[in-house]
Amino acid sequence: MTEKAQQYREVRRKAAVGERIKIVDGGVRFSSGSVFVVEDADFPWGGDDRDGTGVAIDGGKPLFHRRYVVLEPIAQLIAEPAPVSPLTSDPLYASFRQFVADNAPALRKLLDEVDPEPTVVAAPVIPKLTRAQVIAKARADVAEMQRVGMTVFTRLDGDSPFSTKYFAVKFHVNRDKRTVTALVYEGRSVRRGEPDAKFTAKCSPADVFHADLGRAIALRKALGLTVPSEYTDAPQPEKAEVGAVVLFEGIRVTARPSSDFNVNYRKGTAQVGAGAIRKGVLIDDTDVDYSGDTAQQAA
């Protein structure tokens, strides 16, 4: 980097010896705009204390501090020109550049053959299970775990304290509280007294309750097994089907078939297409028959 012609900025302060100053109020001795170098930065003024001390310039002539500004240098840098490559003057290099320019398409094709772009293989898309499929899976899962508890020939998957034991299961379902409790007893039958393992699954307020999902979650937790994410993240039903329960005007209303006219939403029942069902908040689909949906999806 090299310096340009020196530039300065004007600063109102007391100058030091050797600094350049510019006169801004020359009075009768100096011309405004003149530039001098400070010879003495603490020049005495005798009895004149209007400005305390001043500076001496131009062979010892006094100047009050208020009559000048200090010129502070500003470094100006410019970039040096880039060095010239010796190749630019090499005739062989010039011939090579011309060869590349004349054969660019063929060279690009050759590069693709020598170093091809990597092939990106898309990960397989796993279709998300429907609510009907998740419920069917949960129901089958519970049945299998109960079967395993009654035999010594099959063990539970995972690191369960019941993997080498007989066990029996009992469930308590509270649809009002939206909970399912699994009670696990060592041995081949349910007995009185405290269970050997217990877990209560509670449905989130944002989800629709289904007892079979609650049973699968509660039993897996009680047995010390991992709970599949599809149980806790099951798709929510899109609408209330026959058997579903909605909350309408503070009343739990169960959806009945359209052919059922013996209904009264104030007493807890309404036809599936009635306003109470359509406008109510769906809270429970335990009694909805999803077997038809599961069969269609399997086909």
Side-chain angles (χ1 to χ4, degrees), residues 92-261:
L92 183 60
Y93 176 72
S95 299
F96 174 73
R97 284 182 58 88
Q98 187 61 47
F99 171 79
V100 172
D102 294 341
N103 298 275
L107 291 174
R108 290 193 186 96
K109 182 179 179 181
L110 178 61
L111 287 174
D112 290 339
E113 294 174 356
V114 174
D115 186 19
E117 290 289 333
T119 302
V120 179
V121 179
V125 178
I126 301 175
K128 187 175 181 179
L129 296 178
T130 65
R131 185 172 182 82
Q133 290 172 325
V134 174
I135 291 170
K137 179 179 178 179
R139 189 178 293 128
D141 192 18
V142 170
E144 176 62 13
M145 286 186 285
Q146 289 180 301
R147 185 194 69 80
V148 171
M150 294 291 106
T151 178
V152 294
F153 300 106
T154 310
R155 292 189 177 185
L156 294 170
D157 294 332
D159 187 17
S160 169
F162 294 91
S163 61
T164 59
K165 303 174 183 177
Y166 288 112
F167 61 88
V169 180
K170 182 179 180 180
F171 292 104
H172 290 305
V173 178
N174 188 325
R175 295 174 68 171
D176 290 332
K177 294 183 178 180
R178 296 157 56 85
T179 61
V180 178
T181 301
L183 308 175
V184 181
Y185 300 85
E186 287 189 19
R188 303 184 70 174
S189 62
V190 174
R191 64 179 186 275
R192 292 185 178 182
E194 287 296 314
D196 296 290
K198 174 182 177 181
F199 188 86
T200 298
K202 183 174 179 61
C203 182
S204 166
D207 292 339
V208 176
F209 176 81
H210 196 289
D212 285 327
L213 293 177
R215 289 187 183 96
I217 294 170
L219 182 53
R220 279 190 161 271
K221 283 287 191 178
L223 293 174
L225 301 175
T226 301
V227 177
S229 60
E230 54 260 37
Y231 294 171
T232 55
D233 301 329
Q236 300 302 299
E238 297 179 359
K239 62 179 181 178
E241 305 283 357
V242 173
V245 179
V246 303
L247 191 64
F248 179 70
E249 295 182 352
I251 304 171
R252 293 171 64 93
V253 184
T254 301
R256 298 297 190 196
S258 300
S259 58
D260 187 350
F261 294 96

